[in-house]
Amino acid sequence: MIKHIKSIVSVLAVAFLVYIFTFYIDGEMGIILLAFVLFAPLVSLFFVLYARKRTRVSFTCDAYVPKGSRLPVKVTVSKTGVFPLAVIEIETYATEIFGQNIKKRKLTMLSEKKKSFTIELDALIGGNGEVGIKGAYSCGFLGFFKLPLKTSLPQPVSVGVIPQIPDIKASSQLFCSIADVVLTSDEDEENDTAMMFSANTSPGYEHREYELGDPLKRINWKLSSKKGKMMVRLDEAVASVQPVVVLDLYRRSGFPAEKVVLGEELLIRSVFGLLSLLVKQGIACSFVYRTSSGETVSESVDNPDYPEQLLLKVLAVKVVPDKRVDISQTGGSVCACVIATTDASGDFGVITRNIDSPDNISIIGLSPATPNSTSLPLWYLDEDNNFKLV
């Protein structure tokens, strides 16, 4: 509104000066100025209308950027035809995990067919974000006209900002409780499996003889000593004693995104800090999360390098409001289950209802103030990267 008022005032000021010059100073020169004042806006309008159909905007940027660094976004404006373009205004946007000091850019194109410029966005918060072109306009060289381009704008691009994963100590109470449950379940499985074998029998479906390339962590040492040869657990047996870590990035609709992205970053750091610690200590686990297609998947994490790859997959997923993770397909029998969520109230029960042993479920929240309408224990990661029980 203010811009329109300024334009009207400018036009009135020019008209007043032409009137004064024509009738009180030099009539002949005033007529020339009057013709120019009338002709120039028409020429400017012609260039504005011409550029609307013959200008196309595109941009490129990386899919991931570390937190604390800058994301370069290269914007390219191309034209068709031989006439020059007066002024093209580009308005770029980025979501809340990036700095919002993004300025509009204006450029003019004479004989060039293509012109590019680069803006740099500050990656401030870890998580999934979006970068795109909010608007592209054809402007007259007098500043009186501004119309949006008729060509379609490029699709926004999903960008993951990679947070720093904390180094959690093995003395953490949450890790110790998980390790104790896994160890107890593992010993029970070994005792049950050992009864299936005698000196003259071959391994059942749960174990087989070691082969070159098998992970050493799957060797059942007790059973191997009894049989006198290396025996490894198959995936079916290993899965039965694997703890399950669930990531539930739940965002209520109506909450401003700029107020929840910090909590989502903290939850991601907590989960992947725990995953890294578990696998480094030789405890393979299952990780459950939502994919970019909206499906819930479970992946086995048994390699110290794999959490970094999973982190990139999580950062590529846009958070959908009022959508929780679904673990109904992962099976109800688990030795331990840790559910990381931003909100354990309301319909949180739909996540845990399919788990057979609720006594082995724990929750990771954001802080002691995280809503928790259940009787499950709530943990959070403090400033010293230690899990504390509320």
Side-chain angles (χ1 to χ4, degrees), residues 299-314:
E299 297 196 36
S300 179
V301 185
D302 56 4
N303 187 312
D305 297 328
Y306 197 47
E308 295 182 2
Q309 302 176 32
L310 280 176
L311 175 60
L312 298 182
K313 292 183 179 181
V314 169

